[in-house]
Amino acid sequence: MPSTTSSFDAYQSELLSITEQIKSRIQSKNVDEVDDMLQQAEDLVKQMGLEARGMDDAIVKRDLLAKVKEYKAQLSKLRSEYESATLFKTDNNSHNNTGSSSIPDSQSTVRSQNETLLNARSAIAETEGVAMGITEDLNRQRETMKNAHGRVNEVADMAEKGDGILKGMLRRNKFWQGKLW
């Protein structure tokens, strides 16, 4: 069974391959399927985040989460480049088809809306990742509390048995003291 870091490494390798393909397609202006590839890369980063949060070693966990954060930033940049490339492609088609002066205004509006949507999507993904991490931490804490509760019950039972033994010893001691006097 592979360890968490080997799973993380496998996701990382696949992510690097996909990002190279995305960069190549954006540079060659062949942006078909790039959106799907970006979504796949974002899913890989989410998986990497889950793997990193599942690590027991705090130092390794911190390092892997830092890598995840770096990959999220790279994907955000790639998504912006993709959006720019698709807008540029749309802009060229629009300029070839019409000569209207309202096109720059609408393009600005579209860019602004795209940026807002990208920021919202990024915030949702980040919030989802944080929520998953919190849920995992809460589950671990619940298990710890259950174990502690069980130990407390065991200690309470032992204390009751010890109390009974001490009372019996005190009764015997009083009995023997009464016989000796």
Side-chain angles (χ1 to χ4, degrees):
M1 179 175 183
S3 71
T4 302
T5 54
S6 67
S7 297
F8 185 92
D9 292 341
Y11 290 134
Q12 183 179 16
S13 174
E14 189 174 348
L15 176 68
L16 293 174
S17 171
I18 290 173
T19 55
E20 287 303 316
Q21 291 175 21
I22 292 170
K23 288 176 186 176
S24 163
R25 286 184 180 226
I26 290 173
Q27 287 173 354
S28 68
K29 306 293 187 215
N30 181 12
V31 292
D32 297 333
E33 299 177 12
V34 170
D35 192 43
D36 292 336
M37 294 170 74
L38 281 167
Q39 186 59 47
Q40 184 180 2
E42 288 168 354
D43 291 342
L44 284 170
V45 170
K46 285 180 189 176
Q47 286 295 335
M48 291 168 69
L50 291 174
E51 292 290 334
R53 282 186 204 86
M55 294 298 295
D56 293 330
D57 185 358
I59 295 170
V60 173
K61 183 178 187 175
R62 184 191 67 223
D63 292 344
L64 293 180
L65 286 173
K67 282 184 179 180
V68 168
K69 187 175 182 179
E70 182 180 317
Y71 290 134
K72 281 183 182 180
Q74 287 177 359
L75 283 179
S76 178
K77 182 181 176 190
L78 280 175
R79 181 151 304 269
S80 295
E81 290 176 12
Y82 165 68
E83 296 295 334
S84 295
T86 56
L87 282 175
F88 181 72
K89 188 175 180 180
T90 304
D91 289 351
N92 283 342
N93 290 341
S94 296
H95 286 302
N96 291 340
N97 295 336
T98 64
S100 175
S101 64
S102 66
I103 289 176
D105 292 338
S106 64
Q107 289 171 349
S108 174
T109 303
V110 169
R111 281 189 192 105
S112 174
Q113 290 172 347
N114 282 343
E115 189 172 315
T116 301
L117 288 172
L118 288 173
N119 290 338
R121 181 183 265 175
S122 175
I124 288 170
E126 186 175 333
T127 303
E128 183 180 73
V130 169
M132 291 298 293
I134 290 171
T135 301
E136 290 173 1
D137 289 344
L138 288 173
N139 284 336
R140 276 189 288 252
Q141 290 173 359
R142 185 185 69 216
E143 289 299 319
T144 302
M145 290 175 69
K146 279 185 180 179
N147 291 338
H149 183 70
R151 285 188 211 117
V152 166
N153 287 338
E154 289 175 12
V155 170
D157 290 342
M158 285 191 267
E160 284 180 26
K161 288 179 185 176
D163 186 45
I165 292 170
L166 284 175
K167 285 180 181 176
M169 291 172 68
L170 284 173
R171 276 192 303 262
R172 276 186 241 125
N173 188 24
K174 285 182 184 178
F175 173 77
W176 286 109
Q177 282 182 352
K179 289 237 177 205
L180 291 177
W181 296 109

PDB file of all heavy atoms in Angstrom, residues 15-35:
ATOM      1  N   LEU A  15       0.048  16.464 -11.961  1.00  0.00           N
ATOM      2  CA  LEU A  15      -0.259  17.895 -12.033  1.00  0.00           C
ATOM      3  C   LEU A  15       0.771  18.627 -12.888  1.00  0.00           C
ATOM      4  O   LEU A  15       0.411  19.452 -13.736  1.00  0.00           O
ATOM      5  CB  LEU A  15      -0.308  18.510 -10.628  1.00  0.00           C
ATOM      6  CG  LEU A  15      -0.532  20.012 -10.575  1.00  0.00           C
ATOM      7  CD1 LEU A  15      -1.942  20.358 -11.039  1.00  0.00           C
ATOM      8  CD2 LEU A  15      -0.292  20.542  -9.183  1.00  0.00           C
ATOM      9  N   LEU A  16       2.035  18.319 -12.687  1.00  0.00           N
ATOM     10  CA  LEU A  16       3.091  18.978 -13.459  1.00  0.00           C
ATOM     11  C   LEU A  16       2.945  18.671 -14.945  1.00  0.00           C
ATOM     12  O   LEU A  16       3.126  19.551 -15.792  1.00  0.00           O
ATOM     13  CB  LEU A  16       4.466  18.564 -12.942  1.00  0.00           C
ATOM     14  CG  LEU A  16       4.810  19.053 -11.530  1.00  0.00           C
ATOM     15  CD1 LEU A  16       6.134  18.467 -11.069  1.00  0.00           C
ATOM     16  CD2 LEU A  16       4.823  20.563 -11.462  1.00  0.00           C
ATOM     17  N   SER A  17       2.588  17.437 -15.268  1.00  0.00           N
ATOM     18  CA  SER A  17       2.384  17.057 -16.659  1.00  0.00           C
ATOM     19  C   SER A  17       1.216  17.845 -17.274  1.00  0.00           C
ATOM     20  O   SER A  17       1.329  18.378 -18.383  1.00  0.00           O
ATOM     21  CB  SER A  17       2.096  15.558 -16.740  1.00  0.00           C
ATOM     22  OG  SER A  17       1.704  15.200 -18.033  1.00  0.00           O
ATOM     23  N   ILE A  18       0.130  17.934 -16.537  1.00  0.00           N
ATOM     24  CA  ILE A  18      -1.050  18.652 -17.048  1.00  0.00           C
ATOM     25  C   ILE A  18      -0.745  20.136 -17.201  1.00  0.00           C
ATOM     26  O   ILE A  18      -1.126  20.756 -18.205  1.00  0.00           O
ATOM     27  CB  ILE A  18      -2.264  18.432 -16.120  1.00  0.00           C
ATOM     28  CG1 ILE A  18      -2.748  16.991 -16.240  1.00  0.00           C
ATOM     29  CG2 ILE A  18      -3.404  19.386 -16.459  1.00  0.00           C
ATOM     30  CD1 ILE A  18      -3.828  16.611 -15.250  1.00  0.00           C
ATOM     31  N   THR A  19      -0.053  20.730 -16.234  1.00  0.00           N
ATOM     32  CA  THR A  19       0.236  22.170 -16.333  1.00  0.00           C
ATOM     33  C   THR A  19       1.139  22.462 -17.521  1.00  0.00           C
ATOM     34  O   THR A  19       0.978  23.502 -18.177  1.00  0.00           O
ATOM     35  CB  THR A  19       0.863  22.725 -15.032  1.00  0.00           C
ATOM     36  OG1 THR A  19       2.014  21.970 -14.695  1.00  0.00           O
ATOM     37  CG2 THR A  19      -0.128  22.715 -13.893  1.00  0.00           C
ATOM     38  N   GLU A  20       2.060  21.572 -17.826  1.00  0.00           N
ATOM     39  CA  GLU A  20       2.909  21.760 -19.004  1.00  0.00           C
ATOM     40  C   GLU A  20       2.070  21.718 -20.286  1.00  0.00           C
ATOM     41  O   GLU A  20       2.272  22.516 -21.196  1.00  0.00           O
ATOM     42  CB  GLU A  20       4.028  20.708 -19.061  1.00  0.00           C
ATOM     43  CG  GLU A  20       5.127  20.935 -18.050  1.00  0.00           C
ATOM     44  CD  GLU A  20       5.776  22.306 -18.189  1.00  0.00           C
ATOM     45  OE1 GLU A  20       6.068  22.749 -19.319  1.00  0.00           O
ATOM     46  OE2 GLU A  20       5.978  22.954 -17.140  1.00  0.00           O
ATOM     47  N   GLN A  21       1.115  20.790 -20.329  1.00  0.00           N
ATOM     48  CA  GLN A  21       0.229  20.712 -21.489  1.00  0.00           C
ATOM     49  C   GLN A  21      -0.609  21.986 -21.621  1.00  0.00           C
ATOM     50  O   GLN A  21      -0.805  22.502 -22.725  1.00  0.00           O
ATOM     51  CB  GLN A  21      -0.696  19.508 -21.365  1.00  0.00           C
ATOM     52  CG  GLN A  21       0.004  18.177 -21.505  1.00  0.00           C
ATOM     53  CD  GLN A  21      -0.956  17.015 -21.248  1.00  0.00           C
ATOM     54  OE1 GLN A  21      -2.167  17.163 -21.340  1.00  0.00           O
ATOM     55  NE2 GLN A  21      -0.396  15.853 -20.912  1.00  0.00           N
ATOM     56  N   ILE A  22      -1.087  22.478 -20.491  1.00  0.00           N
ATOM     57  CA  ILE A  22      -1.902  23.700 -20.506  1.00  0.00           C
ATOM     58  C   ILE A  22      -1.073  24.867 -21.018  1.00  0.00           C
ATOM     59  O   ILE A  22      -1.515  25.621 -21.894  1.00  0.00           O
ATOM     60  CB  ILE A  22      -2.460  23.999 -19.095  1.00  0.00           C
ATOM     61  CG1 ILE A  22      -3.490  22.945 -18.696  1.00  0.00           C
ATOM     62  CG2 ILE A  22      -3.082  25.389 -19.036  1.00  0.00           C
ATOM     63  CD1 ILE A  22      -3.914  23.009 -17.233  1.00  0.00           C
ATOM     64  N   LYS A  23       0.143  25.024 -20.492  1.00  0.00           N
ATOM     65  CA  LYS A  23       1.018  26.121 -20.922  1.00  0.00           C
ATOM     66  C   LYS A  23       1.282  26.034 -22.427  1.00  0.00           C
ATOM     67  O   LYS A  23       1.233  27.050 -23.129  1.00  0.00           O
ATOM     68  CB  LYS A  23       2.347  26.080 -20.163  1.00  0.00           C
ATOM     69  CG  LYS A  23       2.251  26.497 -18.714  1.00  0.00           C
ATOM     70  CD  LYS A  23       3.587  26.339 -18.019  1.00  0.00           C
ATOM     71  CE  LYS A  23       3.494  26.597 -16.537  1.00  0.00           C
ATOM     72  NZ  LYS A  23       4.763  26.349 -15.844  1.00  0.00           N
ATOM     73  N   SER A  24       1.553  24.842 -22.892  1.00  0.00           N
ATOM     74  CA  SER A  24       1.831  24.639 -24.315  1.00  0.00           C
ATOM     75  C   SER A  24       0.628  25.035 -25.173  1.00  0.00           C
ATOM     76  O   SER A  24       0.782  25.730 -26.185  1.00  0.00           O
ATOM     77  CB  SER A  24       2.191  23.172 -24.542  1.00  0.00           C
ATOM     78  OG  SER A  24       2.089  22.829 -25.882  1.00  0.00           O
ATOM     79  N   ARG A  25      -0.558  24.637 -24.754  1.00  0.00           N
ATOM     80  CA  ARG A  25      -1.761  24.961 -25.536  1.00  0.00           C
ATOM     81  C   ARG A  25      -2.066  26.453 -25.507  1.00  0.00           C
ATOM     82  O   ARG A  25      -2.495  27.009 -26.510  1.00  0.00           O
ATOM     83  CB  ARG A  25      -2.957  24.169 -25.028  1.00  0.00           C
ATOM     84  CG  ARG A  25      -2.881  22.720 -25.421  1.00  0.00           C
ATOM     85  CD  ARG A  25      -4.106  21.974 -24.988  1.00  0.00           C
ATOM     86  NE  ARG A  25      -3.978  20.588 -25.403  1.00  0.00           N
ATOM     87  CZ  ARG A  25      -4.937  19.918 -25.992  1.00  0.00           C
ATOM     88  NH1 ARG A  25      -6.077  20.494 -26.255  1.00  0.00           N
ATOM     89  NH2 ARG A  25      -4.753  18.665 -26.321  1.00  0.00           N
ATOM     90  N   ILE A  26      -1.851  27.090 -24.366  1.00  0.00           N
ATOM     91  CA  ILE A  26      -2.115  28.527 -24.277  1.00  0.00           C
ATOM     92  C   ILE A  26      -1.134  29.288 -25.168  1.00  0.00           C
ATOM     93  O   ILE A  26      -1.529  30.211 -25.892  1.00  0.00           O
ATOM     94  CB  ILE A  26      -2.044  29.016 -22.813  1.00  0.00           C
ATOM     95  CG1 ILE A  26      -3.237  28.484 -22.022  1.00  0.00           C
ATOM     96  CG2 ILE A  26      -2.017  30.542 -22.747  1.00  0.00           C
ATOM     97  CD1 ILE A  26      -3.181  28.770 -20.539  1.00  0.00           C
ATOM     98  N   GLN A  27       0.142  28.898 -25.145  1.00  0.00           N
ATOM     99  CA  GLN A  27       1.147  29.575 -25.967  1.00  0.00           C
ATOM    100  C   GLN A  27       0.874  29.386 -27.455  1.00  0.00           C
ATOM    101  O   GLN A  27       1.104  30.284 -28.259  1.00  0.00           O
ATOM    102  CB  GLN A  27       2.543  29.077 -25.617  1.00  0.00           C
ATOM    103  CG  GLN A  27       3.032  29.580 -24.278  1.00  0.00           C
ATOM    104  CD  GLN A  27       4.346  28.946 -23.871  1.00  0.00           C
ATOM    105  OE1 GLN A  27       4.859  28.040 -24.519  1.00  0.00           O
ATOM    106  NE2 GLN A  27       4.915  29.441 -22.773  1.00  0.00           N
ATOM    107  N   SER A  28       0.382  28.216 -27.821  1.00  0.00           N
ATOM    108  CA  SER A  28       0.108  27.955 -29.239  1.00  0.00           C
ATOM    109  C   SER A  28      -1.283  28.450 -29.650  1.00  0.00           C
ATOM    110  O   SER A  28      -1.688  28.250 -30.787  1.00  0.00           O
ATOM    111  CB  SER A  28       0.226  26.457 -29.531  1.00  0.00           C
ATOM    112  OG  SER A  28      -0.811  25.754 -28.884  1.00  0.00           O
ATOM    113  N   LYS A  29      -1.987  29.078 -28.708  1.00  0.00           N
ATOM    114  CA  LYS A  29      -3.335  29.633 -28.954  1.00  0.00           C
ATOM    115  C   LYS A  29      -4.358  28.550 -29.271  1.00  0.00           C
ATOM    116  O   LYS A  29      -5.415  28.819 -29.789  1.00  0.00           O
ATOM    117  CB  LYS A  29      -3.336  30.677 -30.092  1.00  0.00           C
ATOM    118  CG  LYS A  29      -2.351  31.804 -29.905  1.00  0.00           C
ATOM    119  CD  LYS A  29      -2.738  32.678 -28.743  1.00  0.00           C
ATOM    120  CE  LYS A  29      -1.814  33.886 -28.698  1.00  0.00           C
ATOM    121  NZ  LYS A  29      -1.512  34.306 -27.360  1.00  0.00           N
ATOM    122  N   ASN A  30      -4.024  27.315 -28.962  1.00  0.00           N
ATOM    123  CA  ASN A  30      -4.948  26.194 -29.134  1.00  0.00           C
ATOM    124  C   ASN A  30      -5.597  25.937 -27.769  1.00  0.00           C
ATOM    125  O   ASN A  30      -5.186  25.066 -27.027  1.00  0.00           O
ATOM    126  CB  ASN A  30      -4.193  24.956 -29.625  1.00  0.00           C
ATOM    127  CG  ASN A  30      -5.116  23.776 -29.837  1.00  0.00           C
ATOM    128  OD1 ASN A  30      -6.332  23.913 -29.840  1.00  0.00           O
ATOM    129  ND2 ASN A  30      -4.529  22.606 -30.003  1.00  0.00           N
ATOM    130  N   VAL A  31      -6.620  26.719 -27.444  1.00  0.00           N
ATOM    131  CA  VAL A  31      -7.195  26.698 -26.097  1.00  0.00           C
ATOM    132  C   VAL A  31      -8.353  25.715 -25.955  1.00  0.00           C
ATOM    133  O   VAL A  31      -9.014  25.697 -24.918  1.00  0.00           O
ATOM    134  CB  VAL A  31      -7.638  28.115 -25.660  1.00  0.00           C
ATOM    135  CG1 VAL A  31      -6.449  29.006 -25.463  1.00  0.00           C
ATOM    136  CG2 VAL A  31      -8.618  28.704 -26.638  1.00  0.00           C
ATOM    137  N   ASP A  32      -8.599  24.900 -26.981  1.00  0.00           N
ATOM    138  CA  ASP A  32      -9.626  23.877 -26.867  1.00  0.00           C
ATOM    139  C   ASP A  32      -9.233  22.897 -25.765  1.00  0.00           C
ATOM    140  O   ASP A  32      -8.069  22.523 -25.632  1.00  0.00           O
ATOM    141  CB  ASP A  32      -9.786  23.113 -28.192  1.00  0.00           C
ATOM    142  CG  ASP A  32     -10.255  24.033 -29.320  1.00  0.00           C
ATOM    143  OD1 ASP A  32     -10.925  25.037 -29.005  1.00  0.00           O
ATOM    144  OD2 ASP A  32      -9.926  23.755 -30.486  1.00  0.00           O
ATOM    145  N   GLU A  33     -10.175  22.486 -24.956  1.00  0.00           N
ATOM    146  CA  GLU A  33     -10.005  21.520 -23.866  1.00  0.00           C
ATOM    147  C   GLU A  33      -9.171  22.043 -22.702  1.00  0.00           C
ATOM    148  O   GLU A  33      -8.945  21.320 -21.746  1.00  0.00           O
ATOM    149  CB  GLU A  33      -9.410  20.206 -24.382  1.00  0.00           C
ATOM    150  CG  GLU A  33     -10.252  19.502 -25.409  1.00  0.00           C
ATOM    151  CD  GLU A  33      -9.597  18.249 -25.948  1.00  0.00           C
ATOM    152  OE1 GLU A  33      -8.591  17.795 -25.368  1.00  0.00           O
ATOM    153  OE2 GLU A  33     -10.083  17.733 -26.950  1.00  0.00           O
ATOM    154  N   VAL A  34      -8.683  23.276 -22.764  1.00  0.00           N
ATOM    155  CA  VAL A  34      -7.865  23.803 -21.669  1.00  0.00           C
ATOM    156  C   VAL A  34      -8.698  23.960 -20.407  1.00  0.00           C
ATOM    157  O   VAL A  34      -8.228  23.678 -19.301  1.00  0.00           O
ATOM    158  CB  VAL A  34      -7.178  25.138 -22.055  1.00  0.00           C
ATOM    159  CG1 VAL A  34      -6.530  25.798 -20.863  1.00  0.00           C
ATOM    160  CG2 VAL A  34      -6.140  24.886 -23.134  1.00  0.00           C
ATOM    161  N   ASP A  35      -9.955  24.353 -20.558  1.00  0.00           N
ATOM    162  CA  ASP A  35     -10.823  24.516 -19.386  1.00  0.00           C
ATOM    163  C   ASP A  35     -10.963  23.195 -18.636  1.00  0.00           C
ATOM    164  O   ASP A  35     -10.862  23.152 -17.411  1.00  0.00           O
ATOM    165  CB  ASP A  35     -12.190  25.058 -19.804  1.00  0.00           C
ATOM    166  CG  ASP A  35     -13.006  25.520 -18.617  1.00  0.00           C
ATOM    167  OD1 ASP A  35     -12.437  26.173 -17.723  1.00  0.00           O
ATOM    168  OD2 ASP A  35     -14.210  25.223 -18.570  1.00  0.00           O
TER     169      ASP A  35
END
